């Protein structure tokens, strides 16, 4: 696998400089990332029986296939893994209704396994049309769900002290078990904001001064993972509401311009969050706790945009995201097994949730997940930040 990893790395470097790619630096980096994801996830989908000639064929395809086709294939590859993960979670958490004793009355309304059903008020109950019904699940703790997932999937995630030798490293996200390159290792959880809703992000306009759990997709969609925290111990109706902790710096006095800026630029107040039934015991919903690699250390995961089709209601509880307003929801059309953007308004269109997942860039086993943060080089970077590739950072934020 190491030799295949080197092949892919070299191929990405060559293809990124190809004249077929956009000359805009930001678009160039986006295309290079999609190119790399296409190769890793396609090879992963072939399984462990794939050989070196398969890798070479995928590299050749990556040089000939259009960007839009590569994006579709990446989405297909990621969705295939997400479906498998959700199926395993159903098996772990959903009661086996076939084991109910004959003649016994169900304790709750009939439900579609792991789907979202809305309670219908009976004659003796008050209307609750806006209150999603939470399906019954097994009373397992997050740690138990995580262990069961590892037994079946071969890996899970655990949170513990980072091995990065820096005082600000704090906790890190570790893979427990092993996974191949191209594997979806983690979801980036939290509240999704489209550019139209930026002013609702807590702390606006200096949103990152109080929150280190914000991430931005290339399309401008922002995900705030701070409300998710460390998940929970049940399936529940989740709105993403939270009260951010306010950090005060007593060493630096606030000047007049700072006070004026705060007075004029407060975040807008609004209840734009929907109510979704989400599984808070998701063992892979810790992408926001992956650390940036230390000096002389390479990242082993990369960000991948994943447009989750909201019509897949059976899978919805395991996608740890919620949109603020209609953030992240765009129309998609399904053609065979592919979902792609469309401008039409026919009955085949379906909304998607614009999320992110972390994908392994090499084979991993019992180690910390390290993600290249690619912080902007136009701003003052924190002391702990060591650029992995300055050129990529410049292209990403050009």
């Amino acid at each position: 696998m190491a030799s295949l990893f080197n092949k892919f790395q070299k191929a990405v470097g060559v293809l990124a400089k190809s004249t077929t790619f956009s000359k805009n630096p930001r678009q160039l980096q986006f295309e290079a990332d999609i190119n790399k994801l296409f190769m890793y996830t396609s090879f992963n989908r072939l399984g462990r029986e794939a050989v070196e000639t398969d890798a070479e064929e995928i590299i050749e395809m990556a040089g000939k296939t259009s960007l839009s086709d590569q994006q579709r294939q990446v989405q297909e590859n990621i969705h295939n893994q997400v479906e498998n993960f959700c199926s395993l979670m159903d098996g772990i958490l959903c009661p086996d209704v076939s084991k109910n004793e004959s003649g016994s009355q169900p304790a709750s309304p009939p439900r579609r396994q792991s789907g979202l059903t809305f309670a219908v008020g009976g004659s003796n109950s008050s209307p609750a049309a806006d209150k999603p019904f939470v399906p019954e699940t097994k009373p397992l703790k997050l740690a138990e769900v995580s262990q069961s997932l590892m037994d079946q999937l071969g890996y899970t995630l655990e949170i513990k002290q980072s091995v990065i030798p820096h005082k600000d490293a704090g906790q890190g996200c570790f893979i427990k078990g092993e996974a191949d390159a191209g594997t979806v290792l983690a979801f980036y959880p939290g509240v999704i904001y489209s550019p139209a809703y930026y002013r609702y992000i807590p702390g606006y306009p200096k949103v990152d001064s109080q929150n280190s759990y914000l991430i931005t997709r290339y399309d401008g969609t922002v995900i705030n993972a701070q409300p998710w925290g460390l998940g929970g111990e049940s399936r529940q109706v989740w709105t993403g509401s939270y009260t951010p902790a306010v950090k005060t710096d007593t060493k630096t006095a606030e000047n007049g311009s700072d006070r004026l800026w705060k007075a004029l630029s407060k975040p807008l107040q609004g209840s734009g969050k929907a109510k979704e039934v989400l599984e808070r015991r998701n063992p892979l919903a810790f992408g926001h706790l992956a650390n940036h690699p230390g000096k002389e250390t390479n990242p082993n995961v990369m960000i991948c945009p994943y447009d989750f089709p909201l019509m897949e209601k059976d899978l919805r509880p395991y996608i740890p995201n919620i949109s603020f307003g209609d953030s992240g929801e765009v129309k998609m059309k399904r053609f065979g097994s592919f979902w792609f953007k469309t401008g039409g308004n026919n009955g085949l269109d379906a909304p998607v949730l614009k999320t992110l997942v972390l994908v392994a860039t090499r084979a991993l086993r019992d180690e910390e997940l390290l993600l290249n943060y690619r912080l902007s080089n136009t701003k003052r970077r924190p002391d702990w930040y060591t650029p992995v590739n300055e050129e990529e950072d410049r292209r990403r934020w050009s």
Side-chain angles (χ1 to χ4, degrees):
M1 183 61 75
S3 63
L4 297 178
F5 170 74
N6 291 331
K7 279 180 177 289
F8 285 151
Q9 290 290 72
K10 290 178 181 178
V12 168
V14 172
L15 291 168
K17 297 175 182 178
S18 170
T19 55
T20 61
F21 283 86
S22 170
K23 293 183 179 180
N24 177 280
R26 182 181 175 86
Q27 181 67 16
L28 174 65
Q29 189 57 54
F30 171 69
E31 294 182 10
D33 287 348
I34 292 297
N35 197 249
K36 185 184 293 187
L37 288 165
F38 171 79
M39 291 189 284
Y40 286 145
T41 61
S42 296
F43 188 78
N44 179 277
R45 193 165 182 177
L46 294 179
R48 295 193 171 184
E49 295 182 359
V51 294
E52 190 165 340
T53 54
D54 293 323
E56 292 172 350
E57 186 174 346
I58 290 173
I59 292 172
E60 184 178 354
M61 290 172 57
K64 297 178 179 179
T65 309
S66 68
L67 175 65
S68 59
D69 285 340
Q70 287 191 50
Q71 285 181 279
R72 292 176 193 173
Q73 188 62 55
V74 169
Q75 291 296 308
E76 172 72 8
N77 295 342
I78 296 297
H79 190 66
N80 180 265
Q81 292 191 49
V82 170
E83 283 185 311
N84 180 56
F85 163 73
C86 294
S87 177
L88 293 177
M89 290 291 286
D90 269 353
I92 294 169
L93 286 168
C94 294
D96 188 349
V97 294
S98 65
K99 293 182 179 179
N100 287 345
E101 295 181 6
S102 59
S104 62
Q105 296 297 318
S108 59
R111 56 168 172 71
R112 187 177 177 182
Q113 191 176 35
S114 83
L116 297 182
T117 308
F118 287 86
V120 179
S123 57
N124 297 323
S125 63
S126 58
D130 63 338
K131 206 172 182 182
F133 169 69
V134 182
E136 178 187 356
T137 57
K138 295 177 184 177
L140 301 175
K141 297 295 184 181
L142 174 57
E144 297 174 293
V145 176
S146 184
Q147 184 58 51
S148 294
L149 182 67
M150 174 163 175
D151 293 341
Q152 299 182 49
L153 190 60
Y155 68 90
T156 188
L157 299 179
E158 58 182 352
I159 307 304
K160 56 185 180 181
Q161 182 64 36
S162 174
V163 298
I164 297 175
H166 194 284
K167 62 182 178 62
D168 294 330
Q171 289 186 313
C173 180
F174 291 74
I175 177 176
K176 180 181 179 182
E178 56 183 306
D180 293 329
T183 299
V184 174
L185 293 178
F187 296 91
Y188 200 96
V191 183
I192 300 170
Y193 295 85
S194 69
Y197 290 95
Y198 280 175
R199 292 196 65 190
Y200 290 89
I201 300 176
Y204 179 87
K206 299 180 180 180
V207 294
D208 57 347
S209 64
Q210 304 288 334
N211 186 356
S212 59
Y213 298 110
L214 293 167
I215 195 166
T216 307
R217 294 187 8 153
Y218 276 100
D219 60 12
T221 301
V222 172
I223 302 178
N224 178 14
Q226 196 171 54
W228 186 265
L230 295 176
E233 298 292 350
S234 66
R235 181 171 297 190
Q236 64 186 67
V237 178
W238 195 66
T239 65
S241 298
Y242 77 111
T243 303
V246 178
K247 300 176 184 178
T248 56
D249 186 356
T250 56
K251 296 181 181 180
T252 304
E254 189 177 70
N255 59 38
S257 61
D258 285 338
R259 286 193 296 270
L260 180 61
W261 182 258
K262 285 185 178 181
L264 296 176
S265 306
K266 291 181 179 179
L268 295 178
Q269 299 298 313
S271 56
K273 307 177 190 68
K275 296 176 182 176
E276 297 282 3
V277 177
L278 299 185
E279 183 50 72
R280 297 273 281 157
R281 294 166 291 183
N282 187 333
L284 302 188
F286 295 112
H288 58 305
L289 296 178
N291 276 318
H292 182 80
K295 292 182 179 180
E296 300 180 356
T297 306
N298 293 318
N300 52 28
V301 295
M302 66 180 294
I303 286 293
C304 176
Y306 170 50
D307 295 336
F308 172 73
L310 287 168
M311 295 301 290
E312 301 276 11
K313 295 190 179 295
D314 286 349
L315 314 184
R316 181 64 182 99
Y318 303 118
I319 308 302
N321 298 94
I322 193 169
S323 63
F324 190 98
D326 59 356
S327 295
E329 296 184 16
V330 296
K331 292 294 183 180
M332 303 287 284
K333 181 183 291 185
R334 188 162 190 166
F335 182 77
S337 57
F338 294 103
W339 290 90
F340 58 93
K341 292 181 183 179
T342 177
N345 294 311
N346 57 52
L348 297 176
D349 290 350
V352 301
L353 202 60
K354 298 167 79 171
T355 70
L356 289 170
V357 294
L358 269 56
V359 173
T361 57
R362 61 171 174 81
L364 300 176
R365 181 175 183 177
D366 298 329
E367 56 189 287
E368 184 170 3
L369 303 189
L370 301 175
L371 172 69
N372 181 4
Y373 284 7
R374 284 182 181 165
L375 297 184
S376 172
N377 49 18
T378 62
K379 298 180 180 180
R380 184 179 181 277
R381 293 162 166 172
D383 295 337
W384 51 260
Y385 185 79
T386 302
V388 174
N389 186 314
E390 282 281 15
E391 185 180 358
E392 287 189 359
D393 290 358
R394 281 193 297 271
R395 288 198 300 246
R396 172 65 177 89
W397 298 106
S398 63

